[in-house]
Amino acid sequence: CEGLQIQLFPESQIFSRFIRASNQVSIVRQKDGVRRMDNAIWWLLLEPSTIGFKPSKYTSFNTRYDKLNVKGSAGYQAYRHSRCVIAAKGFGETEYVNNKPLHYHDLVAKDGAILLGGLCREWINKDTGETALSCSVITLPPHPKLMHIHSKASPLLLPLDMAFVNQWLDESITDPTEFDPLLQPHIPYDLMAIQIDKPSTFNALNNAILIEQDN
């Protein structure tokens, strides 16, 4: 938090080992020139409901890299105006075969934390006046070092370079072409991969394996 230079915090930050899609997660963003941490629904597209908002029927906890520059897509405007960072110790991946889970892995930073590149959107319920904040994680093609863990995609891992993070969060940068190099799979820090029985119980099935950062 100190490294991210946050000036405002939510009343209760969310620190949890396991967060499901559509749950609340703490994100870091910049709004009106102020760096802040806010709690957001981990599902970018929301729909109004009698109690405020609910996740849309369209799956949107992740935003694919190849949709970021497609006009009309869920993340097009957010990629230009409301990028965010999700700080975490690690992330989980599930490999599926024939739509059934084959194995689960936790990938955690060997040292310190990781920064997931994400998008966020603000919503207003026109009937009730209630507001909500939502977010998604940008996903890239699978990284060669992670293919045995998850063969479908890999998350956007931002480098632990505060000058770069400042650019990512800078709301005045509305031309995202300078971020094009990020849209290739890259591992900027050492990760420890642990196969587990399932995310909710987190029982390790083997010893952690080191996945070294890219050069």
Side-chain angles (χ1 to χ4, degrees):
C1 290
E2 291 179 356
L4 289 170
Q5 304 169 355
I6 305 167
Q7 299 180 45
L8 291 175
F9 294 84
E11 292 184 3
S12 58
Q13 300 97 329
I14 298 171
F15 297 109
S16 173
R17 201 209 66 79
F18 175 49
I19 296 178
R20 295 179 183 274
S22 78
N23 286 173
Q24 293 263 337
V25 62
S26 292
I27 67 170
V28 176
R29 61 176 178 149
Q30 191 160 304
K31 183 178 180 183
D32 300 328
V34 177
R35 185 76 50 84
R36 54 189 295 149
M37 178 181 282
D38 290 305
N39 294 337
I41 300 170
W42 184 17
W43 199 280
L44 191 62
L45 295 176
L46 303 181
E47 296 177 351
S49 71
T50 55
I51 56 172
F53 288 92
K54 63 180 181 179
S56 165
K57 62 180 180 180
Y58 300 105
T59 302
S60 57
F61 56 91
N62 291 332
T63 299
R64 285 174 38 169
Y65 76 103
D66 55 352
K67 299 293 186 181
L68 294 171
N69 294 311
V70 176
K71 289 186 177 181
S73 65
Y76 181 84
Q77 292 295 335
Y79 187 45
R80 286 151 177 78
H81 302 285
S82 51
R83 297 175 297 271
C84 69
V85 169
I86 302 169
K89 181 62 180 177
F91 58 96
E93 295 287 17
T94 304
E95 180 72 356
Y96 290 89
V97 174
N98 296 324
N99 295 319
K100 293 183 180 181
L102 177 64
H103 52 65
Y104 306 92
H105 281 82
D106 257 16
L107 295 101
V108 299
K110 182 176 180 289
D111 302 297
I114 67 171
L115 298 178
L116 295 165
L119 307 174
C120 59
R121 290 180 62 170
E122 292 184 332
W123 303 83
I124 299 176
N125 188 316
K126 296 179 180 179
D127 295 325
T128 66
E130 293 181 71
T131 61
L133 180 66
S134 66
C135 70
S136 68
V137 173
I138 296 173
T139 55
L140 309 176
H143 192 288
K145 294 180 181 179
L146 303 180
M147 285 289 291
H148 65 293
I149 290 173
H150 191 58
S151 60
K152 187 177 181 181
S154 58
L156 171 54
L157 300 174
L158 298 176
L160 296 175
D161 178 340
M162 286 307 108
F164 177 82
V165 172
N166 290 341
Q167 288 183 302
W168 179 259
L169 294 176
D170 188 344
E171 57 195 327
S172 71
I173 298 177
T174 58
D175 179 359
T177 52
E178 67 179 271
F179 303 127
D180 285 351
L182 285 175
L183 303 185
Q184 299 294 325
H186 183 71
I187 300 176
Y189 14 75
D190 291 343
L191 299 172
M192 303 301 296
I194 309 167
Q195 187 174 355
I196 60 175
D197 58 346
K198 55 183 178 179
S200 57
T201 53
F202 185 55
N203 292 313
L205 300 181
N206 54 25
N207 294 326
I209 299 173
L210 174 64
I211 298 177
E212 295 183 334
Q213 62 182 289
D214 297 332
N215 294 327

